[in-house]
Amino acid sequence: MWQFFHKLGSPKWFYGIASRLMPWLFWVGAALFMAGVVWGLAFAPPDYLQGNSYRIIFIHVPSAFLAQSVYIMMAVSALVTLVWRMKLADVFVKSAAPVGALLTFLALFTGAVWGKPTWGTWWIWDARLTSMLILLFLYFGAIALGNAISDEKSSARAVAVLVLVGVVNIPIIKYSVEWWNTLHQPATFKLTEKPTMPAEMWVPLLLAVLGLYLLFGWLAFMRMQTEILVREGRTRWVMELVQAGGRA
Amino acid sequence: MAFDSFDAFVMMGGHGPYVWTCYLVFFILSFVLILWSRKQRNAALKGLALRQVSGQTSGPAGKTVTNHGNTGADFARVDPSKH
C-alpha cells in the first residue's frame, strides 16, 4: 500500500501508467457515453409529465454529477497536497479545475434550457441553482488563484486551501433539494433506494454517467501529462521522453 | 424507437429546440476543451524538443533539477530592454 502511494508520487511512473490507461478510458468511455445518449435520445420512452424535454437529463445529470465528483476529487487531492506535499496531487488539482468548470457550466446551461419548457423560466435564485453557480465560481477562483501565483509551492498551497474551504458547498448542493423549497426535482439516483424511473430511462442515464466519468479520467490524464512535462522539463526522463516523441 | 418518423425525432413534440440546443452546446464545448488540451500538450512537447535542439538544457545528466523557490522570477518585473 505504502509502496503504491510512493510510486503514485512519482511523476515518471504516473506518466507511463497514464499513457497505458488513456486509450482504454477514451474508447470505453466514449462507447458507454454515446450508447447512453443515443438510447436516451431515440429509444427511451417519453416522460408522462414532461414529454420529450426530459431527454436533456441524459447530459444534464452526468454533467452535474461529474461537476461535483470532480470537486470532491480535487478536495481530496488538496488535502494530500497540504499534508504530504505530494506534487502529483497538485498537478491533478490544476489539471482538473478547467474540466470541472466546464462541466459545472454545462450542468447550469442544460438545466436552464430544460427549465424553460418545464418550469416556465430559465433561471430562479433557488438553493440548488445558486449553490451550483457558487460551485462554478469556486472553480474559477481555483483556476485564477493558481495562475496568479507563479511559485509552484505557494501556488499549490494557496489553491489547496481554497479548494478545501469550498468543499462545504458540496453537501449544500446535494441536500438543497431537501432542505429548501425548490422547483428542482429530487435526486434521480439514490444509493439506498431503487430509482423511481423505469429501467428504460435509468439504464441509459447510468451508462452516460459512467461513460462521462471515464472520459473525464482520460482528459484529466492528458492534462496531467502536459502539466508534468512543463514542470519536469529539465529532468532526464522527460528529455528522453521528448526524444521518443512523447510516448512513455 | 420512441418516435414514428425522423421528423418526429427532430421535433420532439415541440421540445426539439431545447433538447438539441443542449446537446449541441454540450458537444461543441467539450470538443473545444479537448482540442485545447491536445494543443497545450503538443505545444509543451514541441517547446521541450526545441529547447533540446538549441542545447539549452543545462541540467546535470541523471539528476532532477528542482526549483528551490527563489530561482523563478516571481512577481519580478521583466525589463524588455535587457532582452
Side-chain angles (χ1 to χ4, degrees), chain A residues 33 37 41-44 50 52-53 55 58-59 63 109 113 150-151 223 225-226 233-235 239 242-243, chain B residues 1-3 9 12 15 18 22-23 25-26 29 33 36-37 40-41 48-49 51-52 57 62 64 69 74:
Chain A
F33 184 72
V37 164
L41 270 176
F43 297 96
Q50 300 182 8
N52 285 310
S53 68
R55 292 181 198 280
F58 299 105
I59 45 173
S63 308
F109 180 84
V113 177
S150 56
D151 177 59
R223 297 180 57 83
Q225 285 191 330
T226 309
R234 287 182 178 278
T235 59
M239 288 182 192
V242 170
Q243 278 158 10
Chain B
M1 221 25 201
F3 299 94
F9 176 60
M12 294 227 160
H15 288 143
Y18 299 108
C22 282
Y23 279 84
V25 169
F26 180 92
L29 291 185
L33 182 68
W36 177 57
S37 302
Q40 280 183 321
R41 193 189 136 88
L48 288 171
R51 211 164 69 185
Q52 279 189 17
T57 46
T64 306
D74 311 341

Side-chain angles (χ1 to χ4, degrees), chain A residues 94-105:
Chain A
K94 299 270 166 67
S95 311
V99 189
L102 177 73
L103 288 166
T104 313
F105 171 79

